[in-house]
Amino acid sequence: MADVSGTSVTSQEDRPDDLTDGVTSGSRAEEESRAGSDPSMYRYIKQDLFTSEIYKVEIRNLPKFVGFNDLKKFLAKNGLNPHKIKLFGKHLFAFVTFKNEEERDKAMKMVHGMQWKGQVLSVRLAKPKADPILRKRKQEEEEATGGQPASKRAEAAEEEEEEEEEEELSSNEEEIGSTNKAMLPWLFAQKGKYNKMCCPLEAIQPSPTQTEYRNKCEFLISVGADGEDKTIGFRLGKYKGGSCAVVGPAETRHVSAEAKRVVRDFQKFIRTTSYAVYSPETYEGHWKQLTVRTTRTKQAMAVVFFNPQKLEEEELDALKSSMRKFFTEGEGRESGVTSLYFVREGQRMSPKLEDLPCELVAGETCVHEELLGLKFRISPHSFFQVNTGAAEVLYSAVAAWAELDEDATDATVLDVCCGTGTIGISLAKRVRKVIGIEMCQEAVEDAKANTKLNGLDNVEFHCGKAEDIFPNILNALVSPKVTAIVDPPRAGLHSKVILAIRRGEHVKRLVYVACNAKAAMTNFIDLCRAPSNRVHGAPFRPVRAMAIDLFPQTLHVEMLLLLERVDYDAQHDTQYVKHKQDETS
């Protein structure tokens, strides 16, 4: 469900708090320690932007061979919800951050002294991470003055961290086999049929449009690579790599002409103002980010993010008034913007951009899109696939794999992480009922409006975290035929959702849409593992996989995986009989 296209950049990358998690080496920790003596490396924690670095602990004496997912599950099992986890060296200690002081103190109280796999854990407060761009420049200064050069081992560690950030567990079939021995004969047979894979991998489905396909782009506002101030575009490198410069989208192949026009005119507007661009290095300035949505219906939404700093309300009102006039009466009236929003991104107490209120400056409150002959309303914070044409290919495949064409009038579809309801609504006329679950309130409101727009009365939507409300919905469901379709964010589904699906034996078929198959691998394994004291219900097994080129011109694809429920007892009995026959012969 997450947007993973290569050059789309959000303002969240501006903050040290949002840098890479995962695994890093001891040399990187040494670099952090060296930076600790310079207070300027930590000035970002005194600013008004959210950072979980001030709620950071160090967990020591971890068991050997513990990985990122192991630690995450361990903390979740004990009722803890970390914001970020970073393992160091040979995974003997880890840094963990939380969203507030209460959660951090709860973790310290619960985990300190706890025994895990024979090891007694210790927890202590940890220093925040040094600002990466300031640390890099300090290293460069040391090199220039003949001081201690930047560690080559640290540079190698950075590269290693990038690679291990999305570390894939060993091949899917090996993991399934190791967690469900009863499925091994089936796995061996599958590998013989499908070139050592656990299920057929079908041909990649191409996007109908290879260029100018993106209907949403997030542009940074900064100094241009050519030195031109107040430039709107994409950053040339990562913040921690020492780069803040951006280049305009004029030469990009994936950004639509309509979006480029909006960027061009908005850049003209901000250059007429006296307000500077925001600097993630000094935390000064105002203009931060521009998000542009375009649709097939020739509508365009522009959402600008602005740090008000200490400006008076009168000044902000005057700025919004001049913006309105520019895009309704001035030079920007030909930009095609039909919905113009202003977002104050300053004093934030939350790490999520969607928690920030959007102020409508001019035009309509939303834009509308057409997909598979249906109409959809899209608000500023709502999720909608970034490639409309390829989304039609994706949703058509979902419908086919869900097998809803025949005898589906008594079927129920569970649409988990449904966004604006696109998948469920596209299937509604084929089934008795569709139930959608989404945590973004704005998206749920859009989904309900989209139900009315398309004249449907068999669709309902629930707002909340899937792990909180999905189990109750599933338990109350009495439909004889239930198909679950999940389209989660990049990190995958919460373990509570997976456990609920496993318990719900009436869910016989599951279609999993993954924007990052590596990150979702843990979900795949848990769906297929053998029943245990923790995991109840018969397992699933993968029967079909396919990639859809949702992001042409990049290395990313959307992955579609079909899983079907196994009759575990019957499978086990058959294998037991065969095993005994082999012993006799």
Side-chain angles (χ1 to χ4, degrees), residues 176 179-182 502 525-526 528-532 535 537 539 568:
I176 293 174
T179 59
N180 194 339
K181 302 297 183 184
R502 286 291 301 268
I525 303 307
D526 287 343
C528 299
R529 70 171 61 248
S532 64
V535 182
Y568 185 79

Side-chain angles (χ1 to χ4, degrees), residues 215-354:
N215 58 42
K216 179 187 177 185
C217 290
E218 294 169 329
F219 304 96
L220 289 178
I221 307 175
S222 186
V223 177
D226 57 2
E228 190 76 29
D229 193 17
K230 299 180 182 177
T231 298
I232 302 177
F234 297 121
R235 185 179 285 160
L236 292 176
K238 292 188 176 181
Y239 179 83
K240 69 178 180 180
S243 173
C244 289
V246 301
V247 62
E251 302 301 321
T252 57
R253 302 187 67 187
H254 66 312
V255 180
S256 68
E258 292 80 7
K260 291 176 182 178
R261 184 168 61 244
V262 174
V263 168
R264 180 198 65 200
D265 289 349
F266 215 100
Q267 185 170 274
K268 289 180 182 178
F269 169 73
I270 66 171
R271 287 178 176 177
T272 68
T273 71
S274 60
Y275 301 110
V277 298
Y278 178 80
S279 169
E281 181 180 351
T282 65
Y283 308 100
E284 298 173 345
H286 302 277
W287 298 109
K288 298 192 70 175
Q289 174 181 319
L290 177 68
T291 297
V292 179
R293 289 184 186 265
T294 55
T295 69
R296 290 171 168 177
T297 60
K298 303 302 179 184
Q299 293 180 312
M301 176 185 290
V303 184
V304 65
F305 292 80
F306 184 89
N307 190 320
Q309 301 291 4
K310 296 181 180 180
L311 294 178
E312 298 292 337
E313 197 65 34
E314 292 77 8
E315 294 178 271
L316 294 173
D317 288 341
L319 174 61
K320 288 183 284 184
S321 179
S322 64
M323 187 188 307
R324 182 185 306 111
K325 186 174 181 180
F326 182 89
F327 284 97
T328 58
E329 303 175 19
E331 195 173 351
R333 66 184 181 278
E334 301 299 329
S335 65
V337 172
T338 58
S339 180
L340 181 61
Y341 278 95
F342 182 86
V343 178
R344 308 182 195 202
E345 188 181 1
Q347 296 181 348
R348 286 177 53 193
M349 300 303 293
S350 167
K352 298 179 181 179
L353 283 178
E354 55 265 30

Side-chain angles (χ1 to χ4, degrees), residues 185-200 542:
W186 176 83
L187 280 172
F188 289 141
Q190 293 291 97
K191 291 171 71 173
K193 291 179 184 178
Y194 303 115
N195 192 26
K196 300 182 179 180
M197 292 186 290
C198 59
C199 68

Side-chain angles (χ1 to χ4, degrees), residues 40-108:
S40 67
M41 297 292 174
Y42 303 97
R43 64 188 181 192
Y44 71 91
I45 67 174
K46 298 179 181 179
Q47 302 300 316
D48 58 6
L49 289 179
F50 171 84
T51 172
S52 64
E53 286 291 311
I54 60 177
Y55 310 120
K56 185 176 182 179
V57 300
E58 179 183 352
I59 302 178
R60 286 193 165 270
N61 205 31
L62 293 173
K64 290 183 178 180
F65 312 116
V66 164
F68 173 84
N69 287 318
D70 298 317
L71 182 54
K72 184 178 179 182
K73 286 182 179 179
F74 171 76
L75 295 173
K77 184 178 179 181
N78 288 281
L80 300 173
N81 183 28
H83 183 57
K84 287 185 176 292
I85 298 174
K86 185 183 291 292
L87 293 164
F88 275 84
K90 296 182 179 179
H91 305 182
L92 298 180
F93 71 99
F95 287 139
V96 183
T97 68
F98 296 87
K99 295 180 182 179
N100 54 55
E101 184 177 1
E102 182 181 357
E103 291 184 16
R104 180 200 65 189
D105 293 347
K106 177 183 176 183
M108 293 187 68

